[in-house]
Amino acid sequence: MRLEEELTRGIEAGLAPAPSEPETREGRAVTVPSHWWFNLVCRTCGHTFRRGDAVLVDLVARMVRHLEPGLDCAGGPGAEPSATVAEFAAGLQDGWPASVPLIRLAKDDWRVPRPGQRQAAPRCRYCAHTFRPGEHVVVCPCRVGDPSCGAAVHRDPARGLSCWERWQPDGVVAICPVAKTKVTDHG
């Protein structure tokens, strides 16, 4: 009976997990959904905070900034993926090919936030996170063959971003997410 009780307690704890770090901790932290900053935008670089992001927390100023390589507030240039990581990503793309054309976002792509940007940066139509340099996206998801807008959805399974498949498992968009009109040409 003791094993069943432990299993039950474990299941209950898993269904209502506590933050991995106390909310009152200042300094370095790793973002989890239960943190107070999870749904905010970094005031320094303009990117959203994602699960697993390394951050620096300042409780006095009630401010958090990224420590992620490749984001402007972390300082220094973004690291290119190692040969092993790049090979894994390529193998994953080969083994799970996209049914639509993909674009890899460059650092200077207009969809990628920049420090001091006055207007909100575009976000993924599925997960609502900002786009980061190097991520693969589907652009104009209802007219991928003949894009008419810059709306985008993540499609980068090597980074854990399978938003396209979660949003449209059959790869067909019936209602345009921008114009909110019925899509007649799935082109």
Side-chain angles (χ1 to χ4, degrees):
M1 197 60 155
R2 181 181 155 115
L3 187 58
E4 285 181 31
E5 290 172 7
E6 288 182 36
L7 178 61
T8 301
R9 279 197 307 267
I11 291 171
E12 288 172 358
L15 292 174
S20 62
E21 300 164 13
E23 297 275 341
T24 57
R25 181 171 178 243
E26 190 161 286
R28 291 176 178 262
V30 175
T31 303
V32 295
S34 60
H35 284 132
W36 57 266
W37 64 82
F38 186 73
N39 291 315
L40 300 179
V41 173
C42 180
R43 290 189 222 165
T44 308
C45 69
H47 283 279
T48 53
F49 294 101
R50 297 181 186 173
R51 177 192 304 262
D53 279 354
V55 296
L56 186 61
V57 180
D58 180 346
L59 291 174
V60 175
R62 189 103 172 134
M63 195 169 141
V64 180
R65 72 176 177 93
H66 286 101
L67 295 176
E68 290 293 312
L71 300 183
D72 291 318
C73 57
E80 282 297 313
S82 69
T84 305
V85 171
E87 187 177 324
F88 170 76
L92 191 53
Q93 290 283 12
D94 288 346
W96 187 16
S99 59
V100 292
L102 298 177
I103 293 175
R104 184 172 190 254
L105 298 174
K107 185 174 178 65
D108 62 351
D109 189 286
W110 66 271
R111 293 170 198 86
V112 175
R114 287 165 187 70
Q117 191 171 334
R118 291 189 181 264
Q119 59 191 24
R123 295 178 181 220
C124 174
R125 294 292 173 167
Y126 180 78
C127 71
H129 281 295
T130 53
F131 298 106
R132 295 182 180 182
E135 292 178 340
H136 288 91
V137 298
V138 176
V139 174
C140 192
C142 57
R143 293 180 50 102
V144 294
D146 182 22
S148 61
C149 73
V153 178
H154 288 113
R155 203 305 180 167
D156 202 332
R159 295 176 196 253
L161 299 167
S162 55
C163 301
W164 173 250
E165 282 79 10
R166 290 180 184 162
W167 183 50
Q168 299 299 333
D170 63 359
V172 176
V173 178
I175 303 293
C176 174
V178 176
K180 308 293 186 225
T181 58
K182 185 175 180 181
V183 177
T184 55
D185 173 50
H186 296 289

